[in-house]
Amino acid sequence: QQQVKQSPQSLIVQKGGIPIINCAYENTAFDYFPWYQQFPGKGPALLIAIRPDVSEKKEGRFTISFNKSAKQFSLHIMDSQPGDSATYFCAASIRETSGSRLTFGEGTQLTVNP
Amino acid sequence: DTAVSQTPKYLVTQMGNDKSIKCEQNLGHDTMYWYKQDSKKFLKIMFSYNNKELIINETVPNRFSPKSPDKAHLNLHINSLELGDSAVYFCASSQDRGYPIEKLFFGSGTQLSVL
């Protein structure tokens, strides 16, 4: 059962554009939401994360918007560059008795054309 | 120095063979993981170990057996390989298993191809 739904599957923008990637979740027990960036041939790397008690978090050109009531969150990339071309994964963390578990979305392949 | 290193990078083998993937982290982390990334790039957790103790064991075939000789190492042994096992396997680590997982550090992956 996929608990974190991510869209779109792929996205192509021109340099300088603002790609937006959306994620939705059902389980209200999730309460930490990171985004990971993966380049070809590499493992995913943490990009930015948000807790549900804030509605927005910005780090450089990357912004997470969080809507707790709608159970949705999104990643915006300002002034996108060709070097931002990568696969982006949203994720959600849940506390379990054995520890924490991170569930990933399906991923979005972003291409930024020069 | 590579924080999370896994070997080999590529593994090509025949159906029915047994193979192992090794992982080591030099970050001093307590918790290590194995993730499987399929051809559609979907990332799914397989196992998690905290200080050599198995704490997450997802529904994976019992042909997959993780082993953690110490908290810096987590190996994955796969018996009787099948075509459907072809995927990229990622090792990862985190500071501890506490809440929440602030940051996962991933290795570069092992591309397993079963012919």
Side-chain angles (χ1 to χ4, degrees), chain B residues 3-114:
Chain B
V4 180
S5 58
Q6 53 183 110
T7 55
K9 175 83 174 165
Y10 301 97
L11 190 50
V12 181
T13 188
Q14 299 288 330
M15 257 193 334
N17 283 352
D18 303 340
K19 290 293 178 186
S20 292
I21 306 172
K22 295 188 175 185
C23 180
E24 175 182 4
Q25 54 95 4
N26 63 5
L27 297 166
H29 287 168
D30 291 329
T31 307
M32 296 184 72
Y33 311 79
W34 279 110
Y35 278 84
K36 179 180 180 180
Q37 187 170 49
D38 62 24
S39 58
K40 294 184 179 179
K41 300 239 173 182
F42 183 57
L43 270 168
K44 191 172 187 332
I45 191 167
M46 300 174 70
F47 302 103
S48 172
Y49 269 77
N50 178 266
N51 272 321
K52 301 194 297 177
E53 176 193 355
L54 181 66
I55 56 172
I56 292 176
N57 186 353
E58 284 296 278
T59 310
V60 300
N62 56 15
R63 298 182 293 103
F64 290 79
S65 52
K67 277 194 172 51
S68 182
D70 54 62
K71 75 173 192 176
H73 295 84
L74 180 61
N75 303 323
L76 183 65
H77 188 76
I78 315 170
N79 288 326
S80 303
L81 277 155
E82 299 177 358
L83 293 176
D85 297 333
S86 296
V88 181
Y89 293 84
F90 285 100
C91 177
S93 72
S94 65
Q95 182 71 36
D96 55 44
R97 66 178 179 182
Y99 178 76
I101 300 173
E102 292 285 345
K103 185 173 181 179
L104 281 179
F105 291 79
F106 283 86
S108 291
T110 295
Q111 170 101 49
L112 171 64
S113 299
V114 182

Side-chain angles (χ1 to χ4, degrees), chain A residues 42-103:
Chain A
K42 301 291 185 185
L46 180 67
L47 185 63
I48 185 173
I50 196 167
R51 294 176 192 270
D53 52 351
V54 300
S55 59
E56 185 176 280
K57 182 170 181 182
K58 192 175 291 189
E59 284 185 7
R61 296 182 295 106
F62 300 91
T63 300
I64 301 177
S65 297
F66 190 85
N67 186 330
K68 189 173 182 177
S69 61
K71 291 185 283 187
Q72 294 175 349
F73 58 111
S74 58
L75 177 71
H76 297 62
I77 306 176
M78 307 300 290
D79 187 28
S80 59
Q81 301 296 312
D84 296 330
S85 297
T87 301
Y88 292 81
F89 294 92
C90 62
S93 182
I94 189 169
R95 188 199 306 246
E96 298 179 338
T97 52
S98 58
S100 296
R101 178 189 296 266
L102 204 57
T103 299

